[in-house]
Amino acid sequence: MDPQTPDHPPDWLAGLGSRPCRYYRRIGSTNDEAAAWALAGAPSGAVVLAEEQTAGRGRRGRAWVAAPETSLLVSVILRPAVSPEALPRLTLLGAVAVAEALAAEGLSPGIKWPNDVLLEGRKVAGILAEVAWSGDERSAVILGIGVNIRRGALSEAAAARFGATTVEAILGRAPDRGGLLLRLLERIDCWQARLSDEALLAAWRQYSVTLGKRVTVASGEGVVAGVAEGVDSQGALLLRTDDGSVRRLLAGDVTLHGNGL
Ligand code: BTN
């Protein structure tokens, strides 16, 4: 895939300083562009941003749709020196970094395993971590993050259908996207250096709205219900099922009972 020529970055990105950045008014997916740039040699920490995606991706093959100029649509190129087994922790890292950036705005975010960031029980952000492969070698990890910032980010129908919200709707004003982005990148940098630390899991647990709850998890292996007892060092969910056994789940969609989300 040929990379698209970046647009001139707007003023709200001035705070990025010398961090390598490619900004697009409109692009397919920032994750795809970041993967192409990573393979072409982009350094760790480089970011791809867009005002609009025409092929934005969510987890499990879903589309990620946001109206132009209403969201943070960002992909961060990371080159973590960790074993493949530790890679799922990058998803947790992304969720913790978003939660911390929102908490710094005075909000009270929660994380629904594995990667949904919630405000007042509704999804405000999602994380999609993907590996950029160069042949058989892992070239980089692309940490794709979408945050619904402004009220118009998604239609009322979509918000109701997906149980979604925006930062503006909860905060009562639109936050400064540039400031939120800088805080988010600062938290990603910080946690990337501590990817193997227990502290990352502790931070994730602190924001978790899943642990201790009765949940249903839908995954490629079917639907299973139980109590979410913990996450292990790889970020897998440990689910105590009704027969008393513990299932270890690496991926899936969680429904919290009594909440509907
Ligand atoms: C999810 O909750 O399913 C994950 C959503 C991730 C969306 C972001 S938006 C920026 C980046 N580019 C993409 O195509 N997807 C991620």
Side-chain angles (χ1 to χ4, degrees), residues 23-212:
Y23 166 83
Y24 299 90
R25 281 194 288 275
R26 192 167 198 247
I27 201 163
S29 158
T30 56
N31 266 28
D32 288 342
E33 201 61 28
W37 192 16
L39 294 179
S44 189
V47 292
V48 175
L49 284 134
E51 297 289 8
E52 181 184 6
Q53 296 183 119
T54 55
R57 267 201 307 282
R59 285 192 314 126
R60 308 187 77 197
R62 297 192 188 101
W64 182 265
V65 180
E69 298 181 22
T70 59
S71 302
L72 263 185
L73 305 171
V74 57
S75 297
V76 187
I77 296 168
L78 299 173
R79 299 189 189 274
V82 293
S83 63
E85 298 79 52
L87 288 177
R89 287 175 74 111
L90 283 160
T91 300
L92 304 187
L93 180 158
V96 168
V98 172
E100 290 177 330
L102 293 175
E105 297 280 338
L107 293 161
S108 301
I111 301 175
K112 185 164 74 107
W113 184 87
N115 67 344
D116 289 352
V117 182
L118 312 183
L119 286 175
E120 297 187 358
R122 303 178 78 82
K123 180 164 174 169
V124 74
I127 286 92
L128 180 66
E130 297 180 316
V131 174
W133 296 99
S134 172
D136 288 345
E137 289 212 351
R138 186 181 85 212
S139 169
V141 175
I142 309 302
L143 190 60
I145 298 174
V147 188
N148 303 330
I149 303 283
R150 299 201 176 119
R151 280 186 206 274
L154 60 178
S155 68
E156 275 182 30
R161 191 162 137 229
F162 301 120
T165 191
T166 62
V167 178
E168 183 178 9
I170 304 296
L171 197 59
R173 61 173 171 82
D176 163 26
R177 274 196 303 170
L180 195 64
L181 173 68
L182 290 187
R183 177 73 62 148
L184 174 62
L185 294 174
E186 184 259 315
R187 297 317 299 153
I188 290 172
D189 290 347
C190 172
W191 284 118
Q192 199 203 177
R194 306 179 66 190
L195 192 57
S196 306
D197 273 18
E198 172 58 27
L200 175 61
L201 287 179
W204 187 91
R205 287 190 194 103
Q206 184 200 322
Y207 287 108
S208 170
V209 296
T210 312
L211 298 183

Side-chain angles (χ1 to χ4, degrees), residues 203-226:
W204 187 91
R205 287 190 194 103
Q206 184 200 322
Y207 287 108
S208 170
V209 296
T210 312
L211 298 183
K213 301 266 171 58
R214 186 163 174 82
V215 300
T216 300
V217 186
S219 71
E221 295 164 31
V223 178
V224 53

